[in-house]
Amino acid sequence: MQTTSRTERFNELFYQLEHCDEDEQRKKIGEINEIFDGMEEEEFESFFTKEMFNRIDEMIEENKLTIENAILLLKCIGHCNSLKKECNLNFEESLLSERFEKMTFEEDYKNEKEKNENLLVGLCECLILLVKGFISEDLIATCVPHLLKVPLKKEESEETRKEVEMAFLALSCIDKFTDVEQELYLNEIKEIIEYHQEHHNLSRLAYQCAWEFLIFRLWVDYNLSGNAANELHLVREARRELDELTRNVDWRRKGDEMSRGEKKRAKIIIRWIQTLDSNFYLCSLLNEEYVGLFSSIVQVFRAAKENFREICCKSIDALRKAARNRTVKVEGLLKGGVIDIVLDEIYKQTMDDETAYNCLIFFMEVSLKLKIKTDDEMKEVKRKATKRKVFEKLEEEGYEDTITTFHKIFDYLYRKYYRETSLNISDYLVYV
């Protein structure tokens, strides 16, 4: 379907919403959702102006669109938006956002007998999925407990799985710098993850989103959430999910040739890698178990490198963060195959600036770690042995000559990336 016909069809269906009954509205919203699925990020973003959201608000006010169907439409928008790149959809500046926020608090203040839980959950999902700026403490305190009630019901049906997936997708959209009080989520999220590990009741996307919500809490609740991540076996679970997802994609196909299910699985892989990216950056409890996780990311990289470059770039970015983590040993990066794939990447002639930066920082961190001597005799012997292995690998691949060719862009990368790169070539090299 061409962009013009997709735009025309969307406008046609949107206009028809206010001229049909409630059941017909739901059918048309389903058709609109199918249009969203086929859109590229830039095209998707162009549909949603402040004026469009204001028009939905008017339709609710004029009784031309039920509040339930308005929520259904916005959940479709939020779902597609979150699985793309979370574009700025102008929702938070609209009258509709004000209406939904007011309704959320009004509904939450009602007593338990009067409260419409389904309506409240839908309002919370829309607000968190579509608000990309600051979310107030009051809204977080209201929405998080109600969204976590959805998976805590533990009912097993396809409809319930979809409802749970939507609730977790919304929770995963809460920014990692947003403070969420631990009493609002910790016991519940642990119970949900543990139950899934035994009964496998969540969809793959819902399970990934549950972990993303928990890992993002590390940024402001480091010790408590970090311990919970280890208690719930993050490394084991992430590795299993990545391995199974990777096996269920035909990587010989390019993105457009993949089935809808394969595209969704590839997107979930990207989300897992981005979640692990945050964990690598913060976690201070890395151990030998992480070598297996590095191997799983390397496996994904090798599978995707021909036809799915976005996964490769995200993988290199995450592994660069792992290399910067003080508890990650170079030996672990070597065993996990990480150094091999970063070498493969740095030799590419068409590498973009961000990937070049990530590769250079990775080798700068490896070089730095190998230069740090220790007074422990056994550890020092091990360090020298690892240093020799890395040196021989880099020398065999002609790494030093390759790094020298980057010298002309060091200054550019130095200025573009917050002066984290070094202007000294020797900082990227390993000598024995």
Side-chain angles (χ1 to χ4, degrees):
M1 186 183 289
Q2 297 298 314
T3 301
T4 51
S5 63
R6 204 155 38 209
T7 303
E8 289 169 0
R9 183 59 180 152
F10 170 79
N11 289 333
E12 178 185 352
L13 288 167
F14 184 73
Y15 173 76
Q16 290 172 357
L17 284 177
E18 58 183 295
H19 301 290
C20 54
D21 63 27
E22 189 172 345
D23 290 339
E24 191 63 28
Q25 282 179 352
R26 282 196 291 271
K27 291 179 183 177
K28 294 190 182 298
I29 290 170
E31 292 182 57
I32 288 173
N33 192 42
E34 289 180 7
I35 294 173
F36 293 159
D37 269 351
M39 290 181 184
E40 298 298 326
E41 283 81 3
E42 297 78 9
E43 183 186 359
F44 183 82
E45 186 173 7
S46 68
F47 278 85
F48 305 107
T49 61
K50 177 181 174 182
E51 289 71 27
M52 193 209 76
F53 288 117
N54 283 342
R55 179 57 195 145
I56 295 174
D57 185 72
E58 289 176 12
M59 290 162 68
I60 295 170
E61 186 68 29
E62 296 166 0
N63 295 317
K64 294 180 178 179
L65 181 67
T66 65
I67 188 65
E68 290 79 10
N69 283 346
I71 288 172
L72 178 60
L73 175 60
L74 264 70
K75 283 167 67 171
C76 290
I77 296 170
H79 185 275
C80 288
N81 186 44
S82 295
L83 291 182
K84 295 182 188 294
K85 289 187 177 176
E86 300 191 2
C87 312
N88 177 18
L89 302 182
N90 305 299
F91 171 74
E92 58 209 275
E93 300 173 1
S94 70
L95 296 172
L96 186 59
S97 174
E98 293 179 19
R99 177 187 292 272
F100 275 22
E101 188 163 342
K102 181 180 178 183
M103 287 181 66
T104 299
F105 290 126
E106 288 176 350
E107 200 64 38
D108 191 46
Y109 292 148
K110 292 179 181 178
N111 64 48
E112 292 303 316
K113 290 184 179 180
E114 295 179 335
K115 193 177 297 183
N116 184 334
E117 191 66 29
N118 289 337
L119 175 63
L120 183 51
V121 167
L123 291 166
C124 290
E125 287 169 341
C126 292
L127 286 167
I128 296 180
L129 283 165
L130 294 171
V131 172
K132 297 306 171 190
F134 172 75
I135 301 177
S136 70
E137 290 182 14
D138 289 342
L139 195 57
I140 289 291
T142 297
C143 289
V144 169
H146 286 291
L147 291 176
L148 285 172
K149 283 182 183 178
V150 180
L152 281 169
K153 293 175 185 176
K154 300 183 179 67
E155 298 170 6
E156 294 196 16
S157 69
E158 187 58 31
E159 183 179 354
T160 301
R161 281 167 69 87
K162 290 179 180 178
E163 290 173 358
V164 170
E165 184 173 285
M166 183 66 76
F168 268 128
L169 192 62
L171 286 166
S172 73
C173 288
I174 297 175
D175 187 86
K176 57 191 171 187
F177 296 109
T178 300
D179 190 5
V180 181
E181 294 295 329
Q182 59 186 257
E183 57 266 25
L184 295 176
Y185 74 91
L186 191 63
N187 290 336
E188 291 80 0
I189 198 71
K190 287 172 68 175
E191 179 183 339
I192 291 163
I193 290 176
E194 285 173 341
Y195 187 85
H196 170 77
Q197 289 173 355
E198 184 176 351
H199 300 280
H200 306 287
N201 62 310
L202 302 177
S203 70
R204 289 200 182 279
L205 177 59
Y207 191 47
Q208 183 280 321
C209 288
W211 273 110
E212 185 168 340
F213 171 73
L214 177 59
I215 295 302
F216 276 11
R217 306 288 65 82
L218 288 172
W219 289 79
V220 288
D221 195 7
Y222 178 75
N223 290 325
L224 191 64
S225 295
N227 290 333
N230 287 307
E231 290 169 17
L232 296 168
H233 309 289
L234 167 63
V235 175
R236 180 195 71 193
E237 293 296 296
R239 186 178 184 187
R240 181 179 53 76
E241 289 292 306
L242 283 175
D243 291 348
E244 291 183 10
L245 286 162
T246 303
R247 282 196 299 270
N248 285 287
V249 175
D250 185 351
W251 297 103
R252 295 168 297 180
R253 303 181 188 183
K254 294 186 178 180
D256 293 341
E257 298 169 348
M258 286 182 177
S259 68
R260 186 173 180 178
E262 286 178 319
K263 287 179 181 178
K264 184 173 182 179
R265 287 189 282 275
K267 289 287 186 183
I268 298 172
I269 288 173
I270 291 174
R271 293 176 66 93
W272 263 114
I273 291 170
Q274 289 176 313
T275 301
L276 293 169
D277 178 307
S278 295
N279 181 253
F280 291 156
Y281 185 81
L282 287 169
C283 186
S284 62
L285 299 171
L286 294 174
N287 52 41
E288 285 299 315
E289 195 179 19
Y290 271 81
V291 175
L293 183 53
F294 295 155
S295 297
S296 292
I297 296 175
V298 167
Q299 180 184 353
V300 172
F301 177 95
R302 294 198 184 284
K305 69 178 181 179
E306 296 301 327
N307 293 320
F308 217 113
R309 289 296 305 162
E310 184 179 2
I311 286 179
C312 296
C313 294
K314 299 292 185 187
S315 298
I316 296 294
D317 190 20
L319 294 168
R320 182 258 302 177
K321 298 237 180 45
R324 297 200 77 171
N325 190 307
R326 62 182 178 82
T327 62
V328 171
K329 308 300 182 189
V330 174
E331 186 177 5
L333 298 171
L334 198 59
K335 283 182 180 178
V338 177
I339 290 177
D340 290 314
I341 66 164
V342 183
L343 274 174
D344 288 345
E345 197 68 10
I346 206 167
Y347 294 144
K348 289 187 181 297
Q349 298 297 314
T350 56
M351 190 166 35
D352 60 82
D353 290 345
E354 185 174 359
T355 305
Y357 159 78
N358 285 329
C359 289
L360 288 170
I361 292 294
F362 175 86
F363 282 114
M364 189 171 76
E365 294 297 333
V366 167
S367 175
L368 177 63
K369 287 174 185 285
L370 291 174
K371 288 174 182 174
I372 300 174
K373 297 181 180 180
T374 175
D375 293 333
D376 186 303
E377 188 174 336
M378 291 186 66
K379 288 183 179 179
E380 184 63 12
V381 169
K382 192 173 181 180
R383 178 189 73 86
K384 288 180 178 179
T386 302
K387 191 174 184 181
R388 166 65 66 179
K389 289 178 185 177
V390 174
F391 171 78
E392 289 174 352
K393 180 178 286 291
L394 299 183
E395 187 177 45
E396 181 181 345
E397 298 292 335
Y399 167 77
E400 185 170 347
D401 290 340
T402 302
I403 285 294
T404 302
T405 66
F406 278 89
H407 189 256
K408 58 188 176 185
I409 65 168
F410 277 1
D411 185 61
Y412 165 71
L413 293 175
Y414 178 79
R415 286 182 278 106
K416 184 172 181 178
Y417 291 102
Y418 311 107
R419 306 183 180 231
E420 291 183 26
T421 52
S422 171
L423 299 178
N424 188 349
I425 289 180
S426 64
D427 287 338
Y428 306 96
L429 302 176
V430 175
Y431 297 111
V432 291

